Amino acid sequence: MAPAIRLRSAVALVGRFPVLAGADLEVGRGEVALVHGPNGAGKTSLLRACAGLLPLTDGDAEVLGHDLRADRRSVRRSVALLGHATFLYDDLTVAEQAAFAARAFHRPKTSADEALVHLGLEGRAGVQIARLSAGQRRRVALACLIARDAPLWLLDEPHAGLDAANRDVVDALIRERATSGGTVMLASHELDRARALADRTFAIAGGRVQEDARVA
């Protein structure tokens, strides 16, 4: 079976700056991969490229069988990206936001309902997003991630801004996703916690990627 993610000498530019400068990466289906490196190393750019949001100008890239050089938009309905911003709509209720996320990925409304229960948000279903705390908003974003049921999760600092209990929730969700056959790639500075989740770890610096070692 082809890997979930395969990059070969991938180059991506922001302006004239190479945020990916010949990146090589391979992640198998059902694996959890950790990408780490200093600020500005290219972690977010790597995730955005794999999500089809950042065009590649050179090299080869295939994600879930989609050729990103030929058509990077084709992968977007197969990928769920959770970044620093939650991109929630303040005027929607929690239930409406989850339902919107599910509908965008052609999932039934039951997927949204089940996601809210999974995150313990069913009691907040009728509350507007604008009235939620930062931690609650992050929890809703995680529920939307589950509701989409995408085969590939791309998570950018998924533990950021969460208390200890909610960080444990994130860890459990990642483990569950991998156990069910999904693939997860996360970028994180919290290496002790993230390494405990990962099957592979990759260091990125200057837009280049190098695998550290197999940890499981």
Side-chain angles (χ1 to χ4, degrees), residues 25 30 38 42 70 81 93 95 106 109 119-120 138 154 160 167 169 172 195 208 216:
L25 174 76
L81 173 65
T93 66
H106 302 296
K109 183 180 179 298
L119 269 296
R138 193 72 173 172
L154 301 170
R167 290 181 181 197
V169 168
R195 280 194 173 113
R208 293 182 179 271

Side-chain angles (χ1 to χ4, degrees), residues 135-149:
Q136 290 170 336
R137 291 170 71 97
R138 193 72 173 172
R139 209 172 174 98
V140 173
L142 291 168
C144 292
L145 191 75
I146 297 172
R148 292 179 185 125
D149 194 29

Side-chain angles (χ1 to χ4, degrees), residues 7 21 82 104 158 160 163 171 175 199:
L7 304 183
L82 178 63
D163 59 21
D171 292 351
R175 291 190 178 102
D199 301 298

